[in-house]
Amino acid sequence: MNDSEKRGRGRPKSLNREHVIATAMEHYWVDGPANVSINEISKRAGVSKPGLYREFGGEDGLQKAVLESYLDSGLKPLYEVLEIDRPFKDAVQALINLFLESRPLFASPRGCLLRDMRSCQDQLGADTNETIDRLHSESIDQYAAWIERAKTKNEINDIPTDLAAEYVDLQFGNAMLLLKRNEPDEMVEQMMRLSFSVFTPKQ
């Protein structure tokens, strides 16, 4: 047996990083980010705890990786809708469509993982907290840019942009909560229309 064969025989099976992240995300959504241990994730993902530590550096690194994955799958599609230059009312309709179309993409209702993690930041690690704050700040910036564009076109009331952006963030979280509760599409749409009606001038 040559040296390379000796080294290869003792090498552990490679870990499927995306599978572990998807498993962790699923159970953070269902059970709460602070309620699932790294031991449980390793068991549910079918990987060894040492292998998980080698890949992510521990629970904090895994939670950070899950959030970065959520940015791509959950937040960027939202940002892309907001970045399109179109009338405010058309953007609201596009947002409603996005939320409703996201429902059948998952096996069960989810909600907003970023919002869930923000609600228990004191129980999460330093790297995860930094990522939570960064993603929240990026989201607020996206909402503020959308609001500012609509204001320059006189499409919405002159609400302070920082206040409006935080309000938008809350309304998106509420819409995701309605989806998580498996409320009918009609209710989700009506609630979103009602929440955004505060922006438009009364006729």
Side-chain angles (χ1 to χ4, degrees):
M1 184 182 295
N2 59 38
D3 289 342
S4 63
E5 288 174 327
K6 291 178 182 178
R7 287 194 299 270
R9 288 185 64 181
R11 198 173 286 168
K13 183 179 179 180
S14 62
L15 178 147
N16 185 327
R17 180 182 176 88
E18 295 309 313
H19 170 65
V20 174
I21 289 174
T23 301
M25 186 182 294
E26 166 79 17
H27 294 291
Y28 292 159
W29 255 324
V30 173
D31 301 317
N35 298 325
V36 185
S37 69
I38 199 166
N39 288 333
E40 189 65 20
I41 295 299
S42 66
K43 181 171 70 174
R44 295 180 184 185
V47 300
S48 70
K49 186 176 176 181
L52 198 150
Y53 267 84
R54 280 194 299 271
E55 182 67 26
F56 298 99
E59 190 167 46
D60 194 17
L62 174 59
Q63 290 170 341
K64 177 181 178 180
V66 168
L67 273 173
E68 294 288 0
S69 179
Y70 182 66
L71 169 64
D72 291 333
S73 63
L75 297 178
K76 284 187 177 178
L78 179 61
Y79 299 163
E80 289 169 1
V81 170
L82 297 177
E83 287 167 355
I84 297 174
D85 189 5
R86 55 183 151 196
F88 184 81
K89 63 180 180 61
D90 293 345
V92 170
Q93 183 60 58
L95 289 167
I96 292 171
N97 293 342
L98 176 68
F99 276 76
L100 296 181
E101 289 165 4
S102 72
R103 189 198 293 268
L105 298 179
F106 303 108
S108 59
R110 294 297 187 261
C112 177
L113 185 62
L114 179 57
R115 185 178 188 176
D116 290 348
M117 286 195 162
R118 285 190 73 215
S119 70
C120 60
Q121 278 190 262
D122 59 337
Q123 301 174 63
L124 306 177
D127 287 345
T128 303
N129 269 286
E130 185 278 329
T131 306
I132 291 170
D133 291 339
R134 175 171 57 83
L135 295 186
H136 177 65
S137 179
E138 290 174 2
S139 295
I140 294 299
D141 288 346
Q142 290 281 344
Y143 308 152
W146 176 48
I147 292 297
E148 276 294 310
R149 192 166 65 242
K151 285 168 68 174
T152 61
K153 297 178 181 179
N154 296 316
E155 295 176 331
I156 62 174
N157 296 315
D158 190 19
I159 302 171
T161 299
D162 56 346
L163 179 63
E166 291 288 353
Y167 177 81
V168 168
D169 184 60
L170 289 172
Q171 300 317 308
F172 287 157
N174 289 339
M176 292 180 188
L177 180 60
L178 291 174
L179 292 174
K180 188 171 186 176
R181 284 166 35 185
N182 208 25
E183 299 291 352
D185 286 0
E186 183 179 3
M187 175 179 283
V188 176
E189 179 168 0
Q190 289 176 347
M191 291 297 289
M192 289 187 72
R193 288 194 185 283
L194 178 62
S195 66
F196 283 102
S197 68
V198 303
F199 288 103
T200 54
K202 292 182 179 180
Q203 300 297 326

